[in-house]
Amino acid sequence: MNTEQVQYVDDAITSRHSVRAFLDTPIEMQTIKDILAVASRAPSGTNVQPWKVYVVTGQKRAEMIDRVCAAQIELLQKPELAAQYQETFAYYPATWISPFIDRRRANGWGLYGLLGIQKGEKEKMAAQQLRNFQLFDAPVALYFTVNKIMGIGSKMDIAMMIQNVMVAAKARGLDTCPQAAWNHFHPIVLDILGAPEDEELVCAVALGYADPEHIVNTFITPREPVENFTVFLD
């Protein structure tokens, strides 16, 4: 075993976390292409490679942010519009149970607490939520889609590909934030992307260089020990 290679891979995985404040430093397009080429080695059932990726920068990025932020603000003002912005698949369960709801709450309040947002401060919460749709100022947005005809297994495939993207980015000194929040606004997103009607939005990923001075980037979520989620059978 090459311990040096092991350390490189482990470091790329364990140092990756969801960054919520980016610098506006541009990224070379060739670097993005290299990341996607490496990530495309992800496995997929019978090698169908169901993923499609849209790399959004510049004016198109600005248009995406403007339109989706406007929709989010309108939705906050008029909650009855929620029916217009439904995910095409359920990311979260309809009913939460422990320990999952406990972890979710700890994550939310841990982040808000770090930012000085207290329970009941709806305006501050809304402002932080809006940051999702500003890509946390990342200069690059990646939108991942699959063809609607594909089954749930293709979402497993593209999830592995997305993880590869994030790890390959980290190995190159870049940071990421995977965002399912965009899925609510898939009609707007897919329209701006010019995606065909047979495509479904799965996830967005903000890509860039983390702002080392922003306190939000000190927020690192904990992980359960191996013994808590593993059954060993001999």
Side-chain angles (χ1 to χ4, degrees):
M1 179 176 63
N2 188 319
T3 56
E4 188 174 351
Q5 287 182 344
V6 170
Q7 192 63 52
Y8 286 150
V9 174
D10 286 359
D11 285 348
I13 293 172
T14 57
S15 63
R16 189 220 66 81
H17 70 281
S18 293
V19 164
R20 293 180 175 85
F22 291 86
L23 301 174
D24 60 4
T25 308
I27 303 170
E28 292 288 338
M29 192 55 64
Q30 187 57 53
T31 299
I32 298 173
K33 290 179 180 178
D34 291 344
I35 289 169
L36 294 174
V38 170
S40 72
R41 294 304 307 174
S44 60
T46 64
N47 197 37
V48 297
Q49 304 172 62
W51 42 77
K52 187 171 181 179
V53 188
Y54 293 84
V55 180
V56 180
T57 58
Q59 289 300 314
K60 189 62 71 172
R61 171 190 174 278
E63 179 187 357
M64 184 75 77
I65 289 174
D66 288 346
R67 285 183 58 184
V68 175
C69 281
Q72 170 68 3
I73 291 169
E74 183 181 31
L75 183 58
L76 290 172
Q77 295 170 343
K78 302 176 182 178
E80 64 272 15
L81 296 178
Q84 297 181 23
Y85 301 113
Q86 297 293 319
E87 298 171 300
T88 57
F89 64 94
Y91 187 95
Y92 294 111
T95 303
W96 286 91
I97 62 172
S98 291
F100 314 114
I101 186 61
D102 308 309
R103 294 171 187 162
R104 177 176 179 150
R105 286 171 176 162
N107 180 75
W109 289 119
L111 176 62
Y112 283 164
L114 186 66
L115 295 172
I117 302 173
Q118 304 302 314
K119 190 172 183 178
E121 294 185 312
K122 293 183 179 180
E123 289 187 6
K124 290 183 179 180
M125 291 180 185
Q128 181 59 30
Q129 189 176 11
L130 195 64
R131 292 284 293 147
N132 283 281
F133 308 114
Q134 296 165 343
L135 294 165
F136 303 111
D137 300 326
V140 179
L142 307 176
Y143 295 93
F144 296 81
T145 69
V146 295
N147 193 292
K148 292 178 182 177
I149 201 171
M150 303 302 287
I152 193 171
S154 287
K155 289 184 174 62
M156 295 172 59
D157 297 338
I158 198 171
M160 290 185 280
M161 192 268 193
I162 292 169
Q163 174 71 359
N164 274 3
V165 166
M166 294 190 291
V167 173
K170 191 62 185 176
R172 289 163 173 79
L174 291 160
D175 289 282
T176 52
C177 186
Q179 299 174 272
W182 289 83
N183 293 9
H184 290 282
F185 298 105
H186 63 91
I188 300 173
V189 173
L190 295 174
D191 176 59
I192 294 173
L193 296 178
E197 292 185 0
D198 61 359
E199 284 185 24
E200 177 183 29
L201 180 65
V202 175
C203 186
V205 172
L207 174 69
Y209 293 95
D211 180 351
E213 303 300 324
H214 202 296
I215 191 172
V216 75
N217 289 333
T218 66
F219 182 68
I220 308 295
T221 54
R223 290 295 183 271
E224 292 290 313
V226 170
E227 291 75 16
N228 283 14
F229 61 81
T230 311
V231 177
F232 295 94
L233 304 172
D234 189 358

